[in-house]
Structures are given as C-alpha cells and as structure tokens.
Amino acid sequence: MRCKTHLIQNTFRNSIQIVNDNTTQSDKPILKVRDLRTSFKTGRGTVTAVDGVSFDLYPGETLGVVGESGCGKTVTNKSIIRLLPNRVTIYDPGSVVDYRGTNLLGLTESQMRAIRGNEIGMIFQEPMTALNPVFTIGWQIEEALQYHTDLNASQRRARAIEMLRLVEMPNPEKRIDEYPHQLSGGMRQRVVIAIALCCEPDILIADEPTTALDVTIQSQILRLMDGLKEKTGTAIILITHDLGVVAQACDRVIVMYAGQIVEMAPVRQLFHNPKHPYTKALLDSMPKPGRSGHQKRLPAIEGTVPSLFDLPDGCRFADRCQHRRDKCEASLPELVTIGEGTQESKARCFYPIGDAQAVGEAS
C-alpha cells in the first residue's frame, strides 16, 4: 500500500486553554469499539483486564483516556491493534473493533501487519525501550516505509529526513545516522513520533507521549500532535495520567477505572460538571493555580484499586467513594447517558453528582 502523499505543515496552535467542544469532525466514526473484553491467562487463572469497553472515534478528533495505573488504558488501546501476546490473550467473541467497516479482531496477523503503522500508528510510552539501540534512527524510520510503501532507498532516506524535520528535530541530516543513546529524551520521543507518522495514519494512538519530558518539550510535542490533527484529519487517542494535558489537547475524555469506562464526556463538560465521584476525586486532587502553601493539602483518594482477581459484586469504586449507598455495593451500575446536547455525558453511577436520586428510579 502506497503511503499517503499529503504533508503536514508546521503550523500549530499555541493555546493551553481547555479546547472548544465545537470541533469540526465527520458524523461517521472512523473507529467503533463495542463491548471490548480482553482477558489474560495467568498462573492464577483467567483475569479480565478490559471489561465491556465501548466508544466511537471520529476523524479529526482527539479522544483522551485517563485513569490510575492498571485501570486498562493501555490494554484497551493495544487490543485495538492486537499488540498483546497471542498465547496469553483472549478477546471475547462478542467484542468488535470496527475500523472502516472491518472488525480488526477477526483479521489474520498478516492482515493486521498491513494496518499497523500504515493505517493506525502508535507512539509507545517509553521512547528508549521503543527504539532499537543497535540501529540508527534513520534505519528505524525507513523500516516502516520499506514495509508499507514502494519507495526506493534514496526516497526512503529523504522521507525520513523530512519526518525528522517535521517533528522539529535539530539538524536532521546529521541526526538520521545517529543511534538512540546519542539523543536526549525529548529527541528520542520525536523519533518515535516520526516513526508513527511516517505513513500518515488515519488513527494515531499516543500512549503517554509526554511522560518524563520537561514542560517545554511536553508543550512542543502536544502542539506537534495538534498540528497533525488540524492538517490531515488524523484521529488521535491520547492516553495520559495528566489532566492538564487532557485540558490542553483533547476534545472528549474517557475515564477508566478497574477495566471499565466510568465516565465519558466532552472535555469542557468533564472539567466543569463531572458526574462520576471518581472523576470528581481526580479533578479535586489537581493543584490549582494560585493555591497558597498555607492552604490545606491536596485531597487524596483513599484506598486502592480492587484486584482484578477479586472484584466486588457492586460498583468497583464503592469502597473508595464517599457518596456510596447500599445499592452501590449490591449491584454493578451500567454506563448511562446523562443530560442532552453539549451537556450530555455518560457515567457508570447510580447516584451521579448533581442528581438527587438514583438513575432509573422514579421521581
């Protein structure tokens, strides 16, 4: 399959405010995930790490995925492109990952290799381990081009230099022949992004692309990804722990907890009117501008995430929730729609914040 030919221009937004909800996007999703359940075979038996996740992704949209470590963010997105080890991974037969009308979970490994890196790219969390230390960065960028395009050697090298220039790598003609250990962390992250973008994919999955980067480099990386979205219509799934990054870069947000989606909302709605107690607790734990050092300490979420081997019968957040009631511990709530229009969100809670009664109960 020939690589797309359009180029991304070096024009980026400088705003760090919460993005508008009126993002221009197609009415038809480019990716539809339905009832995704991913389990692993372990020495203690089978454990389900992703349990019934469903969402849509639209062209030109940045969808944030947030939550504590171990909540299922990375497993969800690696399941989409089938990057989990086959011998221990089980995808539920009823799960669907629909990319342009094709269920990716039903494709052969050969068919998936034609999609990975070409139609769907991924920026991995740790650039030092994502890059091979014994090959130059130029070779690693050209590898994807060699597999997915019919460019010759000189064209692939020219394209690799172009991509390094695109991600604002200083002196790309020199850097292309260097090895990962010769680059700084920010430079290595730029190389990983260049590899993910070299075939200009329709979907980019970014797994914590700003982790361990200083604030200046983090801002540059986010502007780079935003420029890609603005110029090519690429849809982005952004996995992060940083709610500040979510506010800056995302259009909609998914909040995950213990393998499930607990809230889904437009970014402005989520920050100004969260519905799930877990989301509210995450937002409350963020440092606020102007907070005085004499003020009380930031609130923490008491307790720990339940073990996937010993999940409760009721709400998985109930043990840590200050608003729990008997119903929360007795049965598991469904993900239901709350509100309408720009105020619409989805929450997995019997007693969403701001509602005086349980969801589904009569007035």
Side-chain angles (χ1 to χ4, degrees), residues 40 74-75 77-86 89 91 109 112 116-117 120-124 205:
F40 296 105
T74 297
V75 173
N77 288 281
K78 284 190 174 182
S79 296
I80 291 173
I81 52 176
R82 306 244 308 271
L83 276 180
L84 299 168
N86 291 328
T89 305
Y91 301 108
E109 181 59 27
M112 280 304 304
R116 294 190 202 108
I120 304 177
M122 185 161 187
I123 301 172
F124 293 94
I205 300 173

Side-chain angles (χ1 to χ4, degrees), residues 84-104:
L84 299 168
N86 291 328
R87 64 184 184 86
V88 297
T89 305
I90 303 171
Y91 301 108
D92 189 273
S95 299
V96 175
V97 178
D98 185 325
Y99 169 66
R100 297 191 181 279
T102 300
N103 184 9
L104 300 183

Side-chain angles (χ1 to χ4, degrees), residues 32-39 50-55 79 90-98 103-106:
K32 294 186 288 187
V33 177
R34 295 291 181 270
D35 202 24
L36 177 62
R37 284 182 169 82
T38 304
S39 303
V50 175
D51 190 1
V53 167
S54 299
F55 64 87
S79 296
I90 303 171
Y91 301 108
D92 189 273
S95 299
V96 175
V97 178
D98 185 325
N103 184 9
L104 300 183
L105 298 181

